[in-house]
């Protein structure tokens, strides 16, 4: 794609997101919900690359599903994905009471007790449900600020929109690129703070290989390394929709740091434990896993990068 076409596409994408945050939040909620459900169905019927990739990923999660079942799951998956965007565009206007009423968190005591102990906590999540809503619940209901990392997006103005959006929800947002993020996260944890990371897809090509639904995938080493180096509690979290306006969430048992082994061996063991917790949540609610990119090594291109 030429630079001019790429710039034009970037400006168009940025403009569409700006329109979403500016206009969707002003619509009556039933209208917005119907609009995004219809949009999801239109995208699903086109059978584009994202939908086909979603079905391919779901085929690993639900290996016994036939073509009809996979199609049913992918349609539900696109509706779930568009619900995420509809909620995200409207989330800045929600009151703390609305945010609290929109999520049911199981075993939240694992998070609050860890913070009360002052040791720092790392929450690691897959791309399930609405992780921004979960973050807003932490900052508004628990009244706990936290630090996260955002992938650099093109154009830069689009990345800036996402940063401003998440900062408006009470999050400290660091860019994924560059080596400074890890050090900042470690300092926050050593001070007894909270770090939240979406951690089911490695963006560095230097992550940890894990067994995930019977095949090898690569997940980021950061959560495990942060827990090892700072003594922070590492907690997997999974999210899901259940057909109601309320999103479910579960804080899983902590992932311990192994007592023996090299740093690499400990990191591998802990990242596999995260992958297992993620797999449990995804298997229960496959339609809420918004993984529209290649993930497993067998599906990646020869350079090991997702398209």
């Amino acid at each position: 794609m030429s630079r001019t076409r790429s710039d034009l596409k970037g400006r168009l994408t940025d403009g569409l997101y700006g329109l979403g945050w500016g206009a969707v939040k002003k619509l009556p909620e039933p209208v917005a919900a119907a609009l995004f459900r219809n949009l999801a169905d239109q995208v699903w019927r086109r059978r584009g690359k994202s939908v086909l990739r979603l079905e391919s990923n779901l085929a690993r999660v639900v290996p016994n599903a036939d073509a009809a079942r996979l199609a049913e799951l992918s349609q539900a998956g696109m509706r779930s994905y568009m619900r995420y965007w509809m909620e995200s565009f409207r989330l800045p206007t929600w009151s703390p009471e609305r945010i609290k009423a929109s999520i049911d968190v199981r075993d939240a005591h694992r998070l609050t007790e860890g913070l009360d102990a002052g040791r720092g906590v790392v929450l690691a999540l897959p791309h399930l449900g609405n992780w921004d809503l979960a973050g807003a619940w932490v900052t508004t209901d628990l009244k706990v600020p936290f630090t996260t990392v955002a992938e650099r997006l093109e154009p830069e103005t689009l990345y800036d929109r996402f940063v401003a959006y998440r900062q408006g929800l009470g999050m400290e947002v660091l860019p994924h690129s560059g080596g400074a993020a890890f050090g900042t996260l470690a300092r926050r944890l050593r001070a007894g703070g909270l770090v939240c990371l979406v951690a089911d897809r490695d963006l560095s090509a230097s992550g940890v290989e894990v067994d995930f639904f019977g095949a090898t995938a690569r997940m980021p080493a950061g959560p495990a390394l942060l827990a090892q180096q700072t003594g922070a509690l590492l907690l997997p979290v999974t999210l899901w929709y259940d057909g109601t306006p309320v999103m479910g969430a579960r804080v899983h048992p902590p992932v311990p740091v192994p007592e023996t082994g090299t740093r690499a061996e400990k990191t591998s063991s802990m990242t596999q434990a995260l992958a297992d917790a993620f797999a449990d949540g995804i298997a229960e609610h496959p339609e809420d896993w918004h993984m529209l990119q290649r993930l497993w090594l067998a599906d990646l291109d020869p350079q090991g990068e997702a398209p």
Side-chain angles (χ1 to χ4, degrees):
M1 182 183 293
S2 69
R3 178 62 180 270
T4 301
R5 288 182 63 192
S6 177
D7 289 347
L8 179 60
K9 182 180 179 181
R11 290 197 299 272
L12 178 61
T13 301
D14 179 46
L16 289 173
Y17 279 103
L19 179 64
W21 269 300
V24 173
K25 64 185 178 183
K26 298 178 182 179
L27 295 173
E29 186 152 337
V31 174
L35 175 64
F36 276 76
R37 183 182 178 93
N38 289 336
L39 179 59
D41 289 345
Q42 290 177 27
V43 172
W44 177 77
R45 282 193 291 268
R46 284 201 205 82
R47 311 280 302 158
K49 289 184 179 180
S50 294
V51 173
L52 294 177
R53 174 50 51 194
L54 177 61
E55 279 191 13
S56 177
N57 291 338
L58 289 171
R60 292 187 182 274
V61 174
V62 191
N64 296 324
D66 59 15
R69 175 58 177 156
L70 285 176
E72 179 184 10
L73 281 173
S74 67
Q75 183 176 27
M78 292 309 300
R79 289 177 176 178
S80 174
Y81 185 50
M82 288 303 173
R83 174 174 170 175
Y84 161 79
W85 282 112
M86 186 271 290
E87 289 179 344
S88 294
F89 287 143
R90 298 172 66 85
L91 197 51
T93 68
W94 287 9
S95 67
E97 293 76 20
R98 171 67 191 276
I99 291 171
K100 181 178 180 180
S102 297
I103 182 169
D104 177 25
V105 183
R106 302 177 186 175
D107 298 318
H109 66 92
R110 291 173 174 145
L111 167 59
T112 55
E113 289 171 1
L115 292 171
D116 290 344
R119 62 180 298 190
V121 176
V122 180
L123 295 181
L125 306 87
H127 286 82
L128 267 173
N130 189 337
W131 44 96
D132 288 329
L133 173 56
W137 172 79
V138 169
T139 59
T140 58
D141 190 43
L142 297 186
K143 295 181 172 54
V144 175
F146 67 87
T147 305
T148 189
V149 175
E151 179 183 0
R152 281 282 188 188
L153 300 171
E154 294 294 340
E156 188 75 11
T157 52
L158 179 59
Y159 171 77
D160 292 341
R161 285 188 191 276
F162 274 95
V163 170
Y165 158 63
R166 291 185 169 124
Q167 287 176 336
L169 297 175
M171 310 176 192
E172 179 187 22
V173 183
L174 308 176
H176 182 272
S177 57
F182 188 91
T184 301
L185 295 173
R187 287 194 295 274
R188 300 291 183 268
L189 292 168
R190 290 192 181 103
L194 175 63
V195 165
C196 300
L197 300 171
V198 180
D200 57 343
R201 180 170 177 253
D202 178 57
L203 296 174
S204 67
S206 60
V208 178
E209 292 188 3
V210 295
D211 180 84
F212 197 53
F213 290 102
T216 302
R218 190 183 292 123
M219 293 186 181
L225 288 172
L226 285 167
Q228 290 178 61
Q229 293 191 20
T230 68
L233 193 68
L234 177 54
L235 296 173
V237 176
T238 54
L239 312 169
W240 66 90
Y241 296 124
D242 61 3
T244 75
V246 179
M247 181 179 73
R250 180 189 175 199
V251 181
H252 293 251
V255 174
V257 177
E259 295 182 359
T260 60
T262 65
R263 185 174 73 167
E265 290 169 342
K266 292 178 180 179
T267 302
S268 177
S269 174
M270 295 172 72
T271 307
Q272 182 63 62
L274 281 180
D276 292 343
F278 294 167
D280 287 344
I282 293 167
E284 290 181 2
H285 304 278
E287 67 279 5
D288 291 324
W289 189 39
H290 306 151
M291 185 55 66
L292 280 66
Q293 298 84 22
R294 301 184 187 198
L295 179 69
W296 283 273
L297 299 191
D299 297 332
L300 297 176
D301 67 17
Q303 284 72 43
E305 297 177 353

